[in-house]
């Protein structure tokens, strides 16, 4: 992996002949992290400007399902009958963040999760107190609460007590990012935040070691914005920058569905690297292949080219996608029996084509060109596990252990390159303190520079452990802290 930053430079403030405008806090990026930063900076008494490259603010957050990972006994959890514990949430998130977890950020996020819930509701966001219990990528109705990761799947359920912690702002279907950003933007504007769209940030401006502003292109002209308190970088990840993905995160380059908005090109990360920051966790990201819904797919078995199972099929779709992209040269199939043939009447969410059918499992095995007897033995063993309500090899939950003993059979193709969707987004970014300060390789703060959201490496650190809601939860919470830090630096 090439760790060298892309070629670019900062601008010396002595070269700026005319400042277009001055402000206390300048924020680059108008998505969930940026607007949250703007709200708390404005609440602290700072004058705030947001530069947004697109023609409207919202970023990838507005396009997302809108799930926010919160727990420890939120009012929504309690209304739905769940008595969650912050320490259990902490244990789970630490596990979910993987070996590169930022322990300080995980600890702080969990300790303040209830305060963040209250903050979101003060911005006008509504969580309908209803629990959705089925396996889905989001609640298809207006229900706010669901399990969004591997909380109740092995081995995570052995590390922490499972609880539903995904909170979706009230809206029908997979569109929770819309009411989330609508309310955050309304709140920011009501507090006097100036959001300038069609403004692409180009370079950080420094006075010695101090970051004092940003050069941006607006109406085909370069304009210079001075920030008295600091610059907050919140312009998203780099999944839309093919060169950066290939350079830093080659595993993500194997995906075929970049999950983000067109401006997720890593500009904020580049600017931060130029200014003296350092990138961390740059090779990691979200990987998923949505094999559910329909929920019946969780009752299936998933095998590779050896005809053997390799994962407990009740995992979050991100863990499955990660496992497949770890070995993309393999072949992968999802096997169902006739009880679920109604699924064949409509395309599966993951885009999987039918790879084969068989009146018997032997016939399907031959059609898939699997080793003789392998799929037969796998299915025989699995059906016995289902009858015993115990899966000692892969530890699939008994509630999803359903015998596949009703021929005929069918197989969906989950193989990379054969039509299956593998959605990816980046988790790497600038190294920051929990309070948002961008730091150097020597762990020194870059004066006047802050970052949050996917411009920084926050809570989500690995594909295998990710749970939906970690990214928006991270962006909104640590965006707030970054905005407040920049405001306090000026006001102090």
């Amino acid at each position: 992996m090439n760790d060298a930053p892309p070629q670019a430079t900062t601008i010396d403030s002595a070269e700026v002949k005319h400042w277009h405008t001055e402000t206390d806090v300048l924020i680059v990026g108008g998505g969930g992290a940026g607007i949250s930063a703007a709200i708390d900076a404005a609440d602290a008494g700072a004058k705030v400007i947001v530069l947004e490259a697109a023609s409207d603010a919202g970023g990838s957050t507005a396009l997302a399902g809108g799930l926010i990972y919160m727990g420890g006994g939120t009012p929504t959890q309690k209304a739905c009958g769940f008595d969650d514990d912050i320490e259990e949430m902490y244990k789970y998130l630490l596990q979910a963040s993987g070996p590169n977890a930022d322990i300080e950020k995980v600890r702080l996020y969990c300790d303040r999760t209830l305060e963040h819930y209250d903050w979101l509701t003060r911005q006008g966001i509504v969580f309908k107190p209803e629990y959705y219990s089925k396996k889905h990528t989001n609640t298809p109705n207006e229900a706010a609460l669901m399990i969004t990761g591997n909380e109740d799947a092995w081995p995570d359920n052995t590390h922490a007590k499972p609880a539903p912690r995904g909170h979706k702002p009230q809206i029908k279907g997979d569109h929770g990012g819309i009411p989330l950003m609508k309310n955050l933007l309304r709140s920011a504007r009501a507090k006097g935040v100036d959001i300038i769209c069609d403004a692409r940030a180009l370079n950080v401006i420094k006075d010695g070691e101090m970051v004092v502003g940003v050069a941006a292109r607006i109406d085909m002209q370069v304009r210079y914005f001075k920030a008295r308190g600091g610059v907050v970088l919140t312009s998203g990840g780099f999944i839309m920058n093919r060169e950066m993905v290939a350079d830093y995160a080659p595993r993500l380059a194997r995906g075929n569905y970049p999950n983000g908005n067109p401006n997720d090109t890593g500009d904020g990360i580049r600017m931060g690297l130029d200014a003296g920051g350092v990138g961390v966790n740059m090779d990691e990201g979200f990987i998923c292949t949505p094999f559910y819904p329909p929920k019946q797919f969780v009752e299936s078995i998933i095998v590779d080219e050896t005809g053997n199972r390799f994962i407990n099929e009740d995992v979050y779709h991100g863990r499955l996608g990660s496992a497949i992209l770890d070995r993309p040269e393999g072949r992968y199939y999802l096997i169902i029996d006739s009880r679920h043939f109604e699924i064949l009447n409509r395309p599966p969410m993951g885009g999987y084509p039918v790879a084969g059918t068989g009146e018997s499992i032997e016939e399907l095995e031959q059609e898939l060109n699997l080793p003789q007897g392998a799929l037969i033995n796998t299915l025989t063993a699995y059906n016995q596990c289902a009858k015993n309500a115990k899966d000692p090899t892969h530890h699939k939950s008994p509630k999803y252990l359903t015998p596949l003993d009703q021929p005929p059979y069918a197989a969906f193709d989950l193989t990379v390159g054969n039509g299956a969707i593998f959605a990816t987004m980046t988790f790497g970014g600038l190294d920051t303190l929990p309070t948002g300060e961008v730091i150097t390789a020597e762990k020194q703060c870059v004066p006047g520079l802050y970052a949050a959201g996917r411009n920084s490496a926050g809570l989500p650190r690995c594909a295998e452990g990710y749970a939906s809601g970690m990214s928006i939860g991270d962006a909104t919470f640590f965006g707030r802290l970054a905005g407040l830090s920049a405001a306090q630096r000026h006001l102090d």
Side-chain angles (χ1 to χ4, degrees):
M1 184 180 68
N2 183 2
D3 288 324
Q7 186 65 37
T9 58
T10 59
I11 296 174
D12 190 319
S13 62
E15 300 175 17
V16 178
K17 304 304 180 185
H18 172 72
W19 293 99
H20 173 69
T21 191
E22 296 188 20
T23 188
D24 297 332
V25 175
L26 182 64
I27 297 170
V28 178
I35 300 304
S36 297
I39 290 171
D40 271 25
D43 277 345
K47 178 183 178 183
V48 183
I49 292 177
V50 177
L51 301 178
E52 168 55 47
S55 296
D56 197 4
S60 295
T61 306
L63 303 175
L67 288 161
I68 307 166
Y69 204 91
M70 297 178 289
T74 67
T76 300
Q77 286 180 312
K78 289 182 176 180
C80 293
F82 293 97
D83 186 21
D84 192 18
D85 184 88
I86 286 176
E87 291 307 311
E88 295 300 324
M89 176 184 173
Y90 172 72
K91 287 189 289 186
Y92 175 75
L93 277 183
L94 199 60
Q95 177 79 10
S97 297
N100 296 325
D102 187 320
I103 297 175
E104 284 188 79
K105 288 181 179 177
V106 176
R107 183 73 262 177
L108 184 63
Y109 185 78
C110 292
D111 287 345
R112 292 185 56 182
T113 182
L114 297 177
E115 181 271 333
H116 190 51
Y117 178 99
D118 291 341
W119 181 88
L120 289 164
T121 59
R122 290 200 304 273
Q123 312 315 312
I125 294 157
V126 175
F127 300 105
K128 185 178 181 180
E130 183 178 326
Y131 172 60
Y132 184 79
S133 63
K134 298 177 182 178
K135 276 279 189 180
H136 208 290
T137 55
N138 206 330
T139 69
N141 51 19
E142 292 186 345
L145 191 64
M146 68 180 299
I147 284 179
T148 59
N150 291 296
E151 292 89 342
D152 58 354
W154 183 89
D156 299 64
N157 57 9
T158 67
H159 295 287
K161 181 181 177 181
R165 302 188 183 101
H167 291 66
K168 185 188 78 173
Q170 186 170 357
I171 192 173
K172 185 175 182 180
D174 191 16
H175 310 290
I178 295 173
L180 173 61
M181 288 310 305
K182 181 179 179 180
N183 282 283
L184 292 181
L185 286 164
R186 181 193 298 124
S187 177
R189 289 183 171 117
K191 297 174 188 297
V193 174
D194 185 9
I195 302 172
I196 304 174
C197 294
D198 296 310
R200 182 170 296 279
L202 302 173
N203 303 88
V204 166
I205 303 170
K206 298 181 75 174
D207 182 356
E209 295 301 314
M210 183 83 64
V211 171
V212 295
V214 162
R217 185 172 61 243
I218 302 175
D219 295 330
M220 303 305 293
Q221 294 183 347
V222 176
R223 299 181 181 180
Y224 301 96
F225 291 80
K226 189 172 185 178
R228 291 180 286 264
V231 171
V232 184
L233 301 173
T234 58
S235 60
F238 59 92
I239 195 61
M240 297 301 181
N241 187 323
R242 293 184 181 181
E243 183 177 343
M244 282 186 72
V245 171
D247 211 20
Y248 289 110
R251 184 168 66 142
L252 301 185
R254 299 168 182 164
N256 58 4
Y257 189 92
N259 192 6
N261 76 80
N263 289 308
D264 284 335
T265 54
D267 291 351
I269 297 173
R270 171 188 61 80
M271 292 166 64
L273 294 174
D274 296 342
V278 62
V280 293
N281 209 53
M282 294 291 284
D283 60 329
E284 272 290 358
F286 174 67
I287 300 169
C288 91
T289 184
F291 70 103
Y292 63 84
K295 63 181 179 60
Q296 291 96 323
F297 276 3
V298 183
E299 300 174 353
S300 69
I301 61 171
I302 300 174
V303 302
D304 61 16
E305 72 278 3
T306 70
N308 294 303
R309 296 170 68 209
F310 59 93
I311 201 166
N312 44 320
E313 295 87 358
D314 57 344
V315 295
Y316 174 69
H317 47 71
R319 179 162 292 173
L320 176 63
S322 178
I324 291 176
L325 283 197
D326 277 343
R327 200 173 64 83
E329 72 280 358
R331 291 185 290 137
Y332 303 93
Y333 303 102
L334 187 150
I335 312 295
I336 62 173
D337 68 6
S338 63
R339 292 177 306 111
H340 300 323
F341 270 20
E342 73 274 9
I343 299 171
L344 299 174
N345 294 327
R346 59 186 176 90
M349 186 172 183
Y352 316 123
V354 175
T357 58
E359 291 298 323
S360 66
I361 200 65
E362 292 89 348
E363 185 178 331
L364 180 62
E365 180 182 83
Q366 293 172 10
E367 191 161 335
L368 298 178
N369 193 28
L370 299 176
Q372 185 175 358
L375 186 58
I376 298 168
N377 293 336
T378 295
L379 194 62
T380 300
Y382 178 80
N383 287 342
Q384 188 60 49
C385 289
K387 290 175 183 177
N388 296 335
K390 191 172 184 180
D391 181 15
T393 304
H394 292 92
H395 310 284
K396 186 174 180 177
S397 172
K399 66 182 176 181
Y400 298 118
L401 282 172
T402 303
L404 300 176
D405 57 3
Q406 302 295 317
Y409 296 92
F412 288 95
D413 196 343
L414 277 62
T415 304
V416 177
N418 286 2
I421 291 174
F422 287 89
T424 56
M425 67 181 179
T426 58
F427 286 160
L430 299 167
D431 198 4
T432 60
L433 298 180
T435 43
E437 293 90 343
V438 173
I439 56 178
T440 67
E442 296 74 31
K443 304 301 181 183
Q444 300 299 310
C445 292
V446 178
L449 189 63
Y450 307 83
R454 294 289 64 80
N455 271 180
S456 69
L459 289 182
R461 294 288 179 112
C462 77
E464 182 179 357
Y466 187 72
S468 292
M470 285 176 66
S471 192
I472 293 180
D474 166 84
T476 52
F477 178 75
F478 290 104
R480 293 174 55 204
L481 297 189
L484 182 60
S485 293
Q488 287 178 333
R489 179 175 174 273
H490 166 65
L491 297 171
D492 291 347

